[in-house]
Amino acid sequence: SFANKNVGTGKSVSVNTAALTLGGADAGNYTLTGVTGGALTADITAKSVTVSGLSADNKVYDGTTTATLSGTASLSGLVGGDTVGVSAGAGAGTFDTKNVGTGKTVTVNTGAITLSGADAGNYTLAGVTGGALTADITAKSLTGSVSADNKTYDGTTAATLASRSLSGVVAGDTVSYTGGTATFDTKNAGTGKTVTATGLSLTGADAGNYTVNSTATTTADIAAKSLTGTVTADNKTYDGTTAATLASRS
């Protein structure tokens, strides 16, 4: 028998001579008193177990392949009566790519799954049973904003966008706010007039991982248009005054 049941190398092994049997025609003439040759040693290696019952959580796009595992994990292969628990820590799951998608494959990193309990040291985790895990990565919502140029009154509500910007883009991603048609609320001159842009969208290599508002509002001014007025005056006969009569105005 080993000194104890636990995993270890070079563990002492005691020989129970009562369990050793002598055989042969003259066996009855002998009795076994012990074992010579020094103490016996041997190793007990960890038993492999597998985990099941894990699932992968859906997440909103964050630019990484990190997946969070949940569920009620259970172990297969434990020796009856042993106390071993299991938990999945950070980095226990990895999506196949960082990009948005449904039913994406999630690989379990057994190195991030921890065995606990009084008998945990006697086991090693060999893998995960129950088939491949899957989960979804949904698009991240961005906030798009715009600015518009001031203009001089031209009788229309047409407005020109000066800039388009995004808030919430994951660092390193290539995505921009583009397009859109802008209009003032009325054609009339005024300051701080509402400008509404519609038809805005996303472009760029990572655009598919995001959603954005297609309509945005800002303010700009319509300045009064400067006109040039001309007049003509009537000739007159001297009357001792400087008074003149306008003939036309245009």
Side-chain angles (χ1 to χ4, degrees), residues 19-46:
L20 296 176
T21 303
L22 298 177
D26 297 300
N29 298 317
Y30 297 90
T31 182
L32 192 61
T33 59
V35 178
T36 59
L40 303 183
T41 61
D43 302 339
I44 299 179
T45 56

Side-chain angles (χ1 to χ4, degrees), residues 209-245:
N209 295 316
Y210 298 93
T211 61
V212 73
N213 48 293
S214 61
T215 300
T217 60
T218 186
T219 59
D221 304 338
I222 298 179
K225 183 176 182 181
S226 177
L227 302 178
T228 300
T230 59
V231 297
T232 63
D234 292 334
N235 299 327
K236 77 169 184 176
T237 301
Y238 175 77
D239 60 5
T241 72
T242 59
T245 301

Side-chain angles (χ1 to χ4, degrees), residues 138-178:
T138 56
K140 183 180 183 184
S141 178
L142 301 179
T143 300
S145 58
V146 298
S147 66
D149 292 332
N150 298 328
K151 75 170 187 176
T152 300
Y153 175 80
D154 62 4
T156 74
T157 59
T160 301
L161 292 178
S163 67
R164 302 165 181 81
S165 59
L166 293 169
S167 176
V169 176
V170 172
D173 275 3
T174 302
V175 60
S176 58
Y177 207 26
T178 189

Side-chain angles (χ1 to χ4, degrees), residues 16-161:
N16 177 12
T17 55
L20 296 176
T21 303
L22 298 177
D26 297 300
N29 298 317
Y30 297 90
T31 182
L32 192 61
T33 59
V35 178
T36 59
L40 303 183
T41 61
D43 302 339
I44 299 179
T45 56
K47 187 176 192 294
S48 293
V49 291
T50 57
V51 63
S52 61
L54 293 173
S55 60
D57 295 340
N58 299 330
K59 74 170 184 176
V60 175
Y61 175 79
D62 61 5
T64 74
T65 58
T66 301
T68 301
L69 301 184
S70 60
T72 303
S74 60
L75 295 169
S76 298
L78 292 179
V79 172
D82 274 3
T83 302
V84 182
V86 59
S87 61
T94 305
F95 281 97
D96 50 355
T97 71
K98 71 172 185 175
N99 298 322
V100 165
T102 57
K104 294 174 64 70
T105 299
V106 175
T107 301
V108 178
N109 173 18
T110 55
I113 296 178
T114 304
L115 299 180
S116 60
D119 298 297
N122 296 317
Y123 296 93
T124 184
L125 192 60
V128 178
T129 58
L133 302 184
T134 60
D136 304 338
I137 298 179
T138 56
K140 183 180 183 184
S141 178
L142 301 179
T143 300
S145 58
V146 298
S147 66
D149 292 332
N150 298 328
K151 75 170 187 176
T152 300
Y153 175 80
D154 62 4
T156 74
T157 59
T160 301
L161 292 178

